Amino acid sequence: RELGAGGMATVYLARDLRHDRDVALKVLRPDLAGALGRDRFVREIKLAARLTHPHILPLYDSEEVNDFLFFVMPVMQGQTLRERLMQEKRLSVASAVRIACEVADALDYAHRNDIVHRDIKPENILLHEGHALVADFGIGKALAAAATTDGSSTQVGVTVGTPAYMSPEQAAGEVVDGRSDLFALGCVLYEMLSGEMAFTGSSANAVIARRFMYSPPAVSSTRADVPEVISQVVSRLLAKEAADRFACGQDVANALRTASALPPRARPAPTATDFAIAVLPFANMSADADNEYFSDGLTEEIITDLSRIKALRVTSRTSSMRHKGSTLGVREIGDALGVRYVLTGSVRRAGNALRISAQLVDAVNDRQLWGEKFRGTMDDVFDVQERVAREIVAALGITLQPEEERRLATRGIVHVSAFELYLEAREQIRRFIVGEGTWNVLLDRATAIEGDVPVLRGLRLWGQVALLKLGVGEPSQLDALERQARALVAEAEDRPWGYSALGYVSFERGDMSQAIAWFGEAIARDPTDTESRYWLATSYAIAGLLDLADEAAAEMKASDPLAPMSYLASVLARLFTGESAQSIDTLRHALALDPENYAVRWCLGYAYLATQQLDVALEIMGWMSNAAAGAPYMNQLRALHSVLRGNRAEGLEMVRAQDVARFDAHLTFHVAEVFAMAGEMERGMEILALAVHKGFTPVAFIDTHCAFIEPLRTHPKFAGVLAEAERRSEGVRRAVDRHK
């Protein structure tokens, strides 16, 4: 039967007999088919069929039969964006931004594969399972090719593109690139936010003509709840000159995701006395791209210096690094990060020669307060770091305390060669790069130059913690880690390294009250320590103190608003109250910020399993299998998925091969879920009791909200285990209250 018809084609519901499935079969108008010709049509559709992206509607097949040209697509449940706009007129800001980001991601992928859509409009954006799918890739290019060669598309009455969404260069018949699609996306986003088309007129020609001489009002002027920074993104997309728009879809998505991540308290313009500052990544201007780690490391060292000045509130590393290569202006960045002052700079290195430039800008007034260029050699890098910090303090009129003066003048590493090795090793640890010849060897070389100084010992300690996080190592190492961490606290009591390591040791041992205390000590010494902030929130959640987990997550978001782990922390309490479905959008946003974040992927996969979206969970797990095959968390997720699919034996085989005694309390609990869902009650109950004994005590989650534990709730021992969880959770709360 017919599903719908448009200016170019009619769509039918059809049956694919070979694969026993329903499909959508799109048949082009006969006059248009004749104008295109079979060869051109099949060639362009074949190119489009190679596009495989989560937000592009796939093409199954294409052919010509009896002069009819057609192509085959999946039948999608849901509606088009046009249908939704007809129902709602305009969308919430969050929904509009999410849809625009997903379309921008799809366009970025297509443009990188040399395919321009040419007809982005609400009718070609399908909403399936709440997410956007862009349809009709390839048709626009085929039409344009036909029009270019013989003008036949004009003869059959077909316009390449839709007047209301067509870019000026496309309307003028000029050669177009991906930026033309971005203009159309700007029109779609304008309509989603304002409820009105950006360009209207009494005829198609009038609509086309209007974009050459008219700019629609800023969307923030027509709708009060649209942040100014999002309105600026829309205006830039609608720039008449292609060169004035964003360069690619990824830049659009990044700008929108950054803008939508504004913390509520960050929107008002900072006051003159608000010394909040963000240090943006120093651009690597060196000929050698491998020097990137050095420019990033210099940025972070300056962040560390400034964060130790009490009068300053410094944005954490992760959020600052989100603006690497950003095309946003300092006002937009300041608004997004909730700061008044922004430090930018660049590094150029050639051999031993070094050139560094830095500028401090008042983001509210877009006015430079201070700027300087430094020339010298690598031996001068520590002096430059100190001078930059002192110049910023002077420009802001801040008076340093004697202890702050001492800290700025003190360097943990004094040899430049050791400093370079330290920076490179730190980057490898953060990316969980392990194996022979990696960060451990770099730190050995640095230590040979510098000696076994606290900063190198602190990094080595955190590297060993990272190995334990990956499941590489034994719990017996915890005693040695604790001794090293306590020695580091004694030697460098004003730095966070030893305290954060002690927090992780306590977490692994299930002593959540002590873990909470240690992570708090680390944060007190370095407010930009995002890792400690995340593990503080996690420790509260694992202990069942969900109110305090929410508070810690809110403080983390204020300190590091764009960090993926800030978003993950913000849904911890929801995950423990059975609100997995309500957490998925936040987790997807975190994953978009950092697609290789293992922790976010695991939580998103688990949320999909909890909401019975098994196929989507399988997609998430596919990446994890490649990135960390054999990792305990990966095996647990795969096992749970297999059991939920009905492959009980396969799932049990995965978890039976694992030594649960080695796992922390959190992972131990999730292994219990596998046994429970597989019907192995005794083993499931035994592992649940072990998890509680290790410190996993979110009582309501165990008793009510976790669907995967449901089979164990009738077990005779369940009430006793739950009572132990209650006692332990209350004990942690009392300890926290005493510490406060």
Side-chain angles (χ1 to χ4, degrees), residues 257-318:
R257 285 173 178 134
T258 296
S260 64
L262 282 170
R265 289 177 293 178
R267 291 186 187 277
T271 64
T273 57
D274 181 9
F275 295 126
I277 185 170
V279 182
L280 301 190
F282 276 44
N284 176 30
M285 307 300 290
S286 309
D288 185 358
D290 289 340
N291 280 319
E292 196 84 8
Y293 77 90
F294 180 80
S295 56
D296 287 350
L298 181 63
T299 304
E300 186 162 352
E301 290 301 300
I302 293 173
I303 290 174
T304 299
D305 279 350
L306 294 176
S307 68
R308 302 177 79 191
I309 299 171
K310 289 184 178 180
L312 286 175
R313 180 171 64 82
V314 186
T315 299
S316 294
R317 165 190 178 273
T318 320

Side-chain angles (χ1 to χ4, degrees), residues 140-360:
K141 187 176 181 182
L143 284 169
T148 300
T149 54
D150 54 25
S152 53
S153 66
T154 302
Q155 295 170 14
V156 296
V158 175
T159 302
V160 184
T162 302
Y165 306 93
M166 200 181 294
S167 69
E169 62 269 27
Q170 187 176 357
E174 300 171 1
V175 175
V176 300
D177 58 22
R179 293 171 295 181
S180 179
D181 283 346
L182 298 185
F183 181 92
L185 175 58
C187 294
V188 172
L189 180 54
Y190 187 95
E191 189 171 348
M192 287 193 290
L193 291 170
S194 70
E196 305 290 341
M197 289 185 177
F199 301 99
T200 57
S202 57
S203 66
N205 286 336
V207 173
I208 290 173
R210 200 161 194 221
R211 76 205 57 242
F212 292 100
M213 54 187 179
Y214 166 80
S215 294
V219 72
S220 59
S221 69
T222 63
R223 181 173 172 180
D225 65 333
V226 175
E228 179 62 29
V229 65
I230 291 179
S231 181
Q232 291 168 357
V233 171
V234 177
S235 296
R236 185 172 174 185
L237 285 168
L238 296 178
K240 294 179 174 59
E241 297 294 331
D244 294 333
R245 298 174 209 143
F246 291 90
C248 63
Q250 187 60 58
D251 286 350
V252 177
N254 287 343
L256 286 173
R257 285 173 178 134
T258 296
S260 64
L262 282 170
R265 289 177 293 178
R267 291 186 187 277
T271 64
T273 57
D274 181 9
F275 295 126
I277 185 170
V279 182
L280 301 190
F282 276 44
N284 176 30
M285 307 300 290
S286 309
D288 185 358
D290 289 340
N291 280 319
E292 196 84 8
Y293 77 90
F294 180 80
S295 56
D296 287 350
L298 181 63
T299 304
E300 186 162 352
E301 290 301 300
I302 293 173
I303 290 174
T304 299
D305 279 350
L306 294 176
S307 68
R308 302 177 79 191
I309 299 171
K310 289 184 178 180
L312 286 175
R313 180 171 64 82
V314 186
T315 299
S316 294
R317 165 190 178 273
T318 320
S319 290
S320 292
M321 287 297 178
R322 286 279 153 218
H323 290 283
K324 190 171 186 175
S326 173
T327 56
L328 295 176
V330 290
R331 280 187 179 179
E332 298 163 296
I333 292 173
D335 194 14
L337 294 177
V339 300
R340 172 154 192 168
Y341 303 103
V342 174
L343 180 71
T344 65
S346 64
V347 179
R348 184 183 299 276
R349 180 181 172 189
N352 194 45
L354 188 67
R355 293 179 61 184
I356 298 174
S357 67
Q359 304 84 37
L360 178 65

Side-chain angles (χ1 to χ4, degrees), residues 1 9 115 132 190 277 408 450-451 520 633 639 697 732:
R1 63 183 171 84
I115 294 181
Y190 187 95
I277 185 170
L408 276 184
E450 189 73 28
Y633 271 96
T697 59
V732 176

Side-chain angles (χ1 to χ4, degrees), residues 412-413 415 418 443 445-457:
I413 298 176
H415 294 88
L443 286 179
R445 290 168 55 195
T447 301
I449 298 168
E450 189 73 28
D452 197 19
V453 294
V455 63
L456 295 178
R457 295 215 319 274

